[in-house]
Amino acid sequence: MKTKWIIGIIAAVILVIVGIALFDRSPDQAEAGLIKIGVVAPLTGDTAFLGEGVREAMLLAKEQLGDTEYQYELIFEDDQLDPKMTASATNKLIDIDGVDVLVSFSSGSGNVVAPIAERNEIVHLGIASDPNVANGFYNFIHWTPPAEEARVFVEELEKRNISRLGMIVPNQQGAVAVADAVKERLEGTDIEIVNEQTINAGDTDFRTAVNKAKDGNPEIYLLFAFTPELEILGRQMKEAGITTPLTSIEAFELTEERDLFEGYWYVNAAEPTNEFNQAFNSRTGKNQTLGAPNAYDIFNLVVSVTEDEPQRPTPKDIAEGLKDVENFNGALGNLSVGENDIILSPAAVRIIQNGQPVTIK
Amino acid sequence: MAYLAHLGILISIFVMLSMSLNLVVGYTGLLSVTHVAFFGIGAYATAILLTMTDIGFFTSVVVGIIAALTSSFLIGLILSKFDDDFYALASLGFNIIVFSIFLNLQSVTGGPFGISGIDRPELFGFIFTSNVSFLALTLIALVALYFLSHFIVNSSFGRVIKAIRDDEKALQIFGYRTHYYKLTIFMISAGMAAVAGSFFASYITFIDPSSFAATESVFILSMVILGGLADNKGAALGAATIILLPEFLRFVGMPSDIAAQMRQVIYGLLLIVLMIYRPQGFLGKYRL
């Protein structure tokens, strides 16, 4: 019996190797006019809705392509935002699929992909807030930096003469990065953080934090949580009788329950164009998700750079082309690649009006 | 080749982990769900030392082992007084405490940001940059740990821990201080897990608390159960299967909009079928 199982396992390993051999398409074997873009995103698990948004946005961008010199293939791999799965997906995309460009989602995944991409000299664009993801020649970030969001947010607080701020921050990488940037920006201003509560992402009962949040009598609460914690938090704050205005950085833009935040202003990482919002909505029947417009822009940026090359570009050509991008008309407005290989887009102040986000600044 | 080497590295690291957990769960019969905490302690020791000091990888592995031995001694003093379900619950509690430290001690661990830019090992000027060279190094560590584990379970000490699994009370009647044996095997197991953690941090080059949540302990436990309790080769087979199965499913052609979800469904179904037809695992002699 034991022998049978051992044989079974060996057979499975052989199958994997045969599978790899069958599907092996090294860059040398790739069709001359085919540019492969590998995308590592969470397509299953708790954050699958974000990965699905990225996938839909990139497919949308590909569908909207007109006549092009080169063909473009998108290959999606799931990583569940688990570093070991991210490493597996990245190695597979490079070694087996022979991709020319890698795209990753989240700072955690970006930090895993970036050194692998650099070592293999493959262009990598991360939808990530951590600037470390852009380290090296081949790595880029397409995300509005937390410092830019914080700058716009603090300016808006000052404009509205708000001096007492309450914050509810989940213990998540992106949220803490923006919260830290806000705190740094508030230094030297008259605005004081009178209350700060930390919550755990994945929890569903925030009543203790909500009750503690009343201390210090804030004039406005800054909520950093994303779906579904954001909506739970919004409901539990209402239940607790809190009528103080709420605000957020990015989060209100992405909620499906905008009635909870009707009339509240917030800062968005960047302002997606109406064309993108409508196209995304008509394709998926949903509002755009975090990172979706960035993914859309990344695809178009790669196409734009590649199409400029008279011969099939190498990853080095694509990286050099990306470094020179200026005033690219994207789903997030006018894009330029900054000194640190960060593709910048300006943050915007928006408000939920009649269930829809409207730009006010 | 790099992809195959990558899979080899992941399998080797998780074989180290499942083999070390097998010492506690399989051979001693203690259901510990805190193993990933020691994996994390080793990983963070290496990550912190390699990014903040000039200490090399191999020294960081030793520091990780010492940190894991110390913490496992402290928690083991408490855990070794428990049996069965209470042992599992108490060990889970420790896992949650360690996870919270990783998540909240931002000045040291980087909190939710984690630690990036962790160097690969370097020996006499040679840096293990390529996947193939790193695999060779990992295999050396794996073989060393395999023989250590083999030696332990076949020694007189090993016979006592197996007797604890079979009938602890009878052993106590014969005058054995079983607490001492349970604590010792728990510490050895923790030290081995820390080695795996050091290799993981240096290989992935980035760690954050998500890799060391309690669910990962269940992931490692499932490797041990699938491979078979109280068998080192079983633990290795279990780890290899759980790492390779989802990778194999990446090559099963499916439409891209359902591929990831279908892979998860097939993965789950295959594990259920395996447990129905082989509840004691591939090579196991005992059931949990």
Side-chain angles (χ1 to χ4, degrees):
Chain A
M1 191 66 184
K2 250 185 194 181
T3 320
K4 277 186 186 174
W5 278 98
I6 293 169
I7 291 167
I9 296 299
I10 292 166
V13 173
I14 291 168
L15 269 176
V16 172
I17 295 164
V18 170
I20 289 166
L22 282 175
F23 285 84
D24 189 3
R25 294 285 305 278
S26 64
D28 294 342
Q29 294 167 297
E31 291 166 46
L34 183 65
I35 306 293
K36 290 184 178 181
I37 302 172
V39 185
V40 183
L43 300 173
T44 58
D46 295 345
T47 48
F49 70 103
L50 296 172
E52 283 298 325
V54 166
R55 198 179 74 86
E56 293 292 345
M58 295 198 87
L59 289 172
L60 173 67
K62 191 183 170 203
E63 277 173 16
Q64 290 178 342
L65 272 185
D67 288 337
T68 53
E69 179 76 22
Y70 302 104
Q71 300 295 307
Y72 298 88
E73 183 184 354
L74 285 166
I75 305 169
F76 297 95
E77 287 295 344
D78 179 27
D79 73 342
Q80 295 181 3
L81 296 188
D82 174 345
K84 62 180 177 298
M85 285 184 73
T86 307
S88 292
T90 308
N91 277 291
K92 186 247 175 192
L93 285 167
I94 294 173
D95 201 32
I96 307 298
D97 298 310
V99 295
D100 302 279
V101 176
L102 283 162
V103 180
S104 69
F105 180 80
S106 89
S107 295
S109 296
N111 271 308
V112 176
V113 177
I116 303 175
E118 193 67 19
R119 212 165 38 243
N120 289 280
E121 299 181 349
I122 301 286
V123 176
H124 164 228
L125 295 111
I127 302 170
S129 58
D130 185 348
N132 287 326
V133 175
N135 285 347
F137 181 81
Y138 290 92
N139 290 307
F140 298 82
I141 290 175
H142 183 15
W143 193 258
T144 305
E148 162 68 4
E149 293 173 310
R151 181 189 65 79
V152 175
F153 179 77
V154 172
E155 275 180 15
E156 191 64 17
L157 287 180
E158 286 174 328
K159 191 182 128 193
R160 291 170 184 261
N161 293 321
I162 293 168
S163 58
R164 293 193 313 279
L165 176 69
M167 299 206 314
I168 300 182
V169 190
N171 222 334
Q172 272 178 326
Q173 193 175 30
V176 174
V178 184
D180 285 351
V182 169
K183 285 178 200 168
E184 200 177 319
R185 193 79 200 180
L186 286 175
E187 283 170 18
T189 70
D190 296 331
I191 303 162
E192 187 189 354
I193 299 169
V194 291
N195 195 306
E196 183 180 351
Q197 299 296 321
T198 303
I199 57 170
N200 287 321
D203 282 0
T204 52
D205 186 356
F206 305 117
R207 289 178 181 88
T208 307
V210 165
N211 279 312
K212 282 186 182 172
K214 292 175 186 170
D215 296 345
N217 195 24
E219 290 172 76
I220 194 164
Y221 287 102
L222 173 56
L223 310 183
F224 285 98
F226 286 102
T227 302
E229 287 90 350
L230 176 72
E231 293 78 6
I232 297 168
L233 202 50
R235 278 194 291 272
Q236 289 178 1
M237 289 182 91
K238 277 194 174 171
E239 282 166 20
I242 293 176
T243 52
T244 308
L246 308 177
T247 184
S248 83
I249 294 179
E250 298 174 24
F252 291 175
E253 182 83 12
L254 306 163
T255 179
E256 295 287 334
E257 295 180 51
R258 287 186 178 142
D259 54 315
L260 280 170
F261 309 104
E262 181 66 31
Y264 296 144
W265 66 270
Y266 62 97
V267 170
N268 198 33
E271 188 189 357
T273 58
N274 284 335
E275 291 78 18
F276 171 77
N277 283 336
Q278 282 165 8
F280 189 90
N281 189 274
S282 66
R283 180 183 164 82
T284 64
K286 292 175 186 169
N287 294 327
Q288 54 105 352
T289 52
L290 192 72
N294 305 70
Y296 180 88
D297 280 346
I298 283 173
F299 182 87
N300 285 324
L301 274 167
V302 170
V303 170
S304 155
V305 168
T306 310
E307 291 293 312
D308 285 345
E309 298 287 335
Q311 289 181 328
R312 188 185 189 282
T314 62
K316 192 181 176 199
D317 297 331
I318 298 173
E320 281 170 348
L322 283 170
K323 286 174 197 293
D324 292 336
V325 167
E326 257 184 81
N327 298 322
F328 179 83
N329 194 17
L332 287 172
N334 211 9
L335 306 173
S336 297
V337 177
E339 280 178 15
N340 302 323
D341 289 344
I342 298 174
I343 302 166
L344 295 169
S345 47
V349 182
R350 309 191 88 188
I351 191 166
I352 304 286
Q353 243 171 31
N354 303 319
Q356 290 304 316
V358 178
T359 301
I360 52 176
K361 182 184 168 190
Chain B
M1 188 62 188
Y3 177 57
L4 285 178
H6 160 79
L7 292 179
I9 293 163
L10 273 192
I11 289 168
S12 302
I13 290 170
F14 280 89
V15 169
M16 288 183 213
L17 262 180
S18 60
M19 217 162 55
S20 62
L21 183 61
N22 206 13
L23 289 174
V24 177
V25 178
Y27 288 101
T28 321
L30 301 168
L31 183 55
S32 168
V33 278
T34 190
H35 216 58
V36 81
F38 303 116
F39 179 54
I41 286 169
Y44 270 99
T46 290
I48 292 165
L49 291 173
L50 291 191
T51 53
M52 295 181 187
T53 71
D54 293 332
I55 286 175
F57 171 76
F58 296 99
T59 314
S60 81
V61 174
V62 176
V63 173
I65 293 171
I66 294 168
L69 288 177
T70 311
S71 53
S72 62
F73 172 73
L74 295 173
I75 187 66
L77 281 176
I78 302 162
L79 282 181
S80 57
K81 293 184 175 129
F82 294 111
D83 295 310
D84 306 326
D85 302 346
F86 297 105
Y87 190 96
L89 272 177
S91 67
L92 179 66
F94 176 67
N95 201 146
I96 292 167
I97 291 168
V98 173
F99 178 76
S100 295
I101 292 170
F102 292 157
L103 190 60
N104 294 301
L105 195 61
Q106 200 170 329
S107 58
V108 180
T109 64
F113 295 102
I115 300 173
S116 60
I118 305 163
D119 290 336
R120 288 280 177 94
E122 186 180 345
L123 189 66
F124 304 121
F126 177 77
I127 302 171
F128 294 82
T129 310
S130 74
N131 283 4
V132 175
S133 62
F134 197 94
L135 174 63
L137 185 67
T138 316
L139 284 174
I140 292 169
L142 174 62
V143 170
L145 290 186
Y146 177 83
F147 282 111
L148 173 67
S149 178
H150 185 75
F151 171 75
I152 289 167
V153 296
N154 290 301
S155 65
S156 56
F157 177 86
R159 282 192 287 280
V160 176
I161 60 168
K162 284 182 238 176
I164 290 173
R165 178 194 60 209
D166 295 336
D167 196 339
E168 186 179 357
K169 284 201 168 48
L171 211 59
Q172 286 168 340
I173 290 167
F174 283 108
Y176 281 91
R177 293 167 66 190
T178 55
H179 290 175
Y180 161 75
Y181 287 92
K182 283 157 72 174
L183 177 61
T184 307
I185 198 67
F186 186 68
M187 287 173 66
I188 293 169
S189 164
M192 288 168 68
V195 175
S198 293
F199 274 88
F200 180 78
S202 182
Y203 174 62
I204 299 288
T205 71
F206 168 78
I207 56 166
D208 69 356
S210 70
S211 294
F212 312 106
T215 47
E216 287 295 304
S217 279
V218 178
F219 179 69
I220 304 162
L221 189 62
S222 62
M223 290 175 177
V224 176
I225 295 171
L226 186 71
L229 293 165
D231 192 301
N232 280 334
K233 293 186 190 76
L237 271 181
T241 307
I242 286 194
I243 295 289
L244 281 181
L245 205 51
E247 290 305 316
F248 171 64
L249 293 171
R250 285 190 196 275
F251 296 94
V252 177
M254 279 182 273
S256 77
D257 54 341
I258 58 159
Q261 294 84 343
M262 285 309 295
R263 280 175 205 147
Q264 290 295 307
V265 172
I266 295 169
Y267 180 49
L269 280 175
L270 284 172
L271 290 181
I272 291 168
V273 169
L274 279 171
M275 282 292 99
I276 289 171
Y277 289 101
R278 192 74 187 167
Q280 72 274 43
F282 293 139
L283 303 175
K285 299 175 183 73
Y286 302 93
R287 289 193 195 186
L288 200 60

